[in-house]
Amino acid sequence: MSNLITESKNLVTDLIKRYRDHADLITIRLEQSQGSSILLRGDKVETLSEGIAIGGQVRVCHRGGWGFASFNQLSTLAQRIEEAIGAAKMIGDEETLLAPVEPVEIVCQLPLIGRDPRQVSLAEKKALCDRYNDLLKSYSDKITTTTVRYGDSAQHILIATSEGTLIEQSWNDLEMRFSATARNGETVQTGRETTGSRRGYEDLTNLEEQVRGAAQRAVEALVLPPVKGNTYRVVIDPILTGLFVHEAFGHLSEADMLYENPDLLEVMSMGKRFGPEELQIFDGAAPEGHRGSYYYDDEGTPATTTQLIKDGVLVGRLHSRETAGKLGEQPTGNARCLNYHFAPIVRMTNTWIERGKTPVEDLFDDIKEGVYARNWLGGMTNGEMFTFSAGEAWMIRNGKIAEPVRDVTLSGNVFKTLANIEAIGDDFYWDESGGCGKGGQSGLAVGAAGPSLRIRDVVVGGEAAE
């Protein structure tokens, strides 16, 4: 694959110079990506493809109005710039408020520790998927449906702005998803596993234990009793903690949601207490090696680590340059787009709750009747309300893990749930399986992490209590 990005630098910078006096800000983002995708469903191959995508976008801001144009042919770039300028001028009728960012010229690449997936043949990737699919199908005759998904992508990005920024950045990303559905009469249960990496192809080649675990949970859940629906003290593992902090709290920290919603902005006011003094929540692309990591966001803002909750109190939020400018705060490097078809919007990167001091075994102490939930099966959020399905769960009785149960969903209000955190475990785990969706841009790679948590008064759904 020829290096179109590097070859196009002079053209891009020349056009920026030609048009930079026509608007308050012009940003050009070129993208060259290469990847492969495989989907096996049972005995059928539904997707088996490799592809190269080349394109770009122009974003123009003038008097607070934004113009956007995307393209696949570099020869049309001047025309796209003029179209975006025209659109911005038709809309703009206010002051452009963008938090300042120091211009930078740099070439950077996120390190690839292992084997580059571009050097692995599609046949070898397909063989890996077949091996995992066979493990799922052969686990039990009660397995009725299996799916294996594989995806990798290598992205090479150029960002140039009329303020003088010129950033060339590249990275690789890999992901696999597995699911097995088991049936026994009218009872149907599903087990799922997802994993991702930005380190190398080897991270996907020894996942037999995870794959079998998905099938095992599906089969074993067929004969488990459903949990009795009630309000319980619960203990959740680090994977569920990562899902909770991302879905339930992280999205509420994205400042574009806040400045467009004055009521929510008032709820999420700085200095407000949301949890115990031990609670620390962060988001940032600066920590290296995670799926939400990078050096610069899609506006050219350097990656940072932003503390959102400090000692239980709200102290930060996530910004693009526009949201930071409108709210009078510092940009955090959280403006991201899925690809060149979309404009950057405020998105999480790696989001985590810091480890606590309570030994994990002590989290169960004094719980007469509760629920221990691990892993995730699915979930949804609606504003400050959330519902998550646990991948596996057990009852807690008299401070001990007791019998396993199925159909465990955890739901509640995120603010009440944060306030109801009773203890934070001393364990910690990074989950690299995340693919975040927002504003029509689904599947953006993110990281999530945290320790085990003990939370009181959580609504646990299942079979209704008599």
Side-chain angles (χ1 to χ4, degrees):
M1 186 167 66
S2 63
N3 195 337
L4 178 68
I5 299 298
T6 302
E7 295 170 0
S8 303
K9 276 186 175 180
N10 288 339
L11 171 64
V12 169
T13 54
D14 287 346
L15 288 173
I16 287 279
K17 291 176 183 177
R18 183 193 306 178
Y19 289 101
R20 65 186 175 191
D21 295 330
H22 294 234
D24 296 334
L25 176 70
I26 299 174
T27 300
I28 298 174
R29 181 185 186 275
L30 299 186
E31 175 183 330
Q32 185 170 10
S33 64
Q34 178 179 345
S36 55
S37 178
I38 301 171
L39 171 58
L40 308 182
R41 197 182 305 276
D43 295 324
K44 294 183 179 180
V45 179
E46 295 199 357
T47 303
L48 184 67
S49 65
E50 291 181 314
I52 296 174
I54 299 173
Q57 62 175 241
V58 181
R59 295 176 73 224
V60 173
C61 188
H62 187 71
R63 296 185 62 189
W66 288 92
F68 178 85
S70 61
F71 57 90
N72 292 106
Q73 294 182 330
L74 198 60
S75 59
T76 67
L77 179 53
Q79 182 181 348
R80 300 288 87 81
I81 294 173
E82 292 176 1
E83 290 173 353
I85 291 173
K89 289 187 173 180
M90 280 193 293
I91 299 171
D93 59 0
E94 301 175 355
E95 181 184 3
T96 294
L97 293 174
L98 301 175
V101 172
E102 192 70 26
V104 61
E105 292 192 26
I106 194 171
V107 176
C108 48
Q109 179 173 356
L110 272 70
L112 187 67
I113 298 172
R115 193 176 178 193
D116 190 328
R118 291 172 292 183
Q119 306 304 318
V120 181
S121 69
L122 189 62
E124 185 175 341
K125 297 170 186 174
K126 167 64 163 50
L128 179 68
C129 294
D130 286 336
R131 177 154 57 89
Y132 292 148
N133 197 35
D134 288 342
L135 281 175
L136 293 173
K137 292 189 297 183
S138 64
Y139 183 82
S140 168
D141 58 7
K142 291 183 170 59
I143 299 290
T144 58
T145 305
T146 63
T147 60
V148 175
R149 297 175 184 266
Y150 170 94
D152 64 55
S153 65
Q155 289 188 299
H156 191 174
I157 308 297
L158 178 69
I159 297 172
T161 77
S162 55
E163 297 171 325
T165 285
L166 188 64
I167 297 170
E168 193 175 342
Q169 184 171 211
S170 55
W171 62 81
N172 285 266
D173 189 76
L174 305 101
E175 183 181 80
M176 289 198 81
R177 295 176 177 263
F178 314 99
S179 71
T181 300
R183 177 184 291 272
N184 183 11
E186 296 299 315
T187 303
V188 178
Q189 294 290 310
T190 299
R192 292 192 178 95
E193 283 284 347
T194 305
T195 189
S197 173
R198 285 201 165 173
R199 299 190 304 175
Y201 182 75
E202 292 90 338
D203 281 2
L204 305 184
T205 59
N206 296 291
L207 303 177
E208 288 81 3
E209 184 176 350
Q210 285 182 254
V211 173
R212 290 193 195 95
Q216 180 181 357
R217 289 197 299 276
V219 172
E220 291 182 350
L222 292 172
V223 297
L224 296 180
V227 69
K228 298 290 185 181
N230 208 335
T231 299
Y232 295 96
R233 270 188 170 84
V234 302
V235 176
I236 61 175
D237 79 327
I239 292 178
L240 270 174
T241 295
L243 176 67
F244 169 74
V245 72
H246 173 95
E247 292 288 356
F249 182 76
H251 282 296
L252 294 175
S253 299
E254 294 167 339
D256 53 349
M257 295 182 62
L258 299 176
Y259 86 80
E260 295 169 357
N261 186 336
D263 291 338
L264 183 58
L265 182 60
E266 183 176 353
V267 171
M268 296 287 289
S269 58
M270 294 294 190
K272 189 171 182 178
R273 176 165 294 280
F274 284 102
E277 290 189 1
E278 193 179 3
L279 181 64
Q280 321 290 336
I281 301 180
F282 298 84
D283 179 277
E288 295 185 358
H290 304 295
R291 292 190 69 206
S293 303
Y294 47 78
Y295 296 119
Y296 295 89
D297 74 0
D298 287 311
E299 291 184 325
T301 302
T304 62
T305 296
T306 303
Q307 186 156 12
L308 304 175
I309 295 282
K310 181 178 181 180
D311 302 333
V313 174
L314 185 70
V315 296
R317 44 182 153 245
L318 308 178
H319 282 297
S320 65
R321 291 185 61 189
E322 182 179 36
T323 62
K326 288 186 173 182
L327 293 177
E329 297 174 10
Q330 295 297 312
T332 59
N334 284 83
R336 307 176 67 192
C337 60
L338 184 66
N339 55 48
Y340 64 88
H341 296 289
F342 302 96
I345 56 178
V346 183
R347 304 295 298 270
M348 281 172 280
T349 56
N350 305 299
T351 313
W352 71 95
I353 294 179
E354 192 58 85
R355 76 173 73 236
K357 299 178 181 179
T358 303
V360 174
E361 57 271 20
D362 292 350
L363 296 175
F364 302 88
D365 288 353
D366 303 323
I367 298 179
K368 184 177 180 181
E369 184 182 54
V371 173
Y372 174 44
R374 289 180 51 187
N375 214 324
W376 61 271
L377 196 58
M380 61 176 292
T381 58
N382 182 10
E384 60 193 67
M385 304 305 293
F386 67 89
T387 299
F388 301 137
S389 299
E392 52 188 334
W394 294 259
M395 296 303 298
I396 303 170
R397 301 193 187 279
N398 299 316
K400 303 293 183 183
I401 298 175
E403 75 276 13
V405 289
R406 62 175 168 88
D407 299 340
V408 170
T409 61
L410 312 175
S411 60
N413 176 287
V414 60
F415 303 122
K416 291 180 180 178
T417 303
L418 288 171
N420 287 341
I421 293 175
E422 293 185 319
I424 301 176
D426 62 358
D427 56 345
F428 189 85
Y429 176 77
W430 276 102
D431 181 11
E432 307 291 354
S433 66
C436 180
K438 177 182 174 181
Q441 303 187 45
S442 296
L444 187 68
V446 295
S452 298
L453 300 177
R454 170 172 159 156
I455 312 169
R456 66 178 178 272
D457 296 334
V458 177
V459 176
V460 179
E463 187 176 88
E466 297 180 357

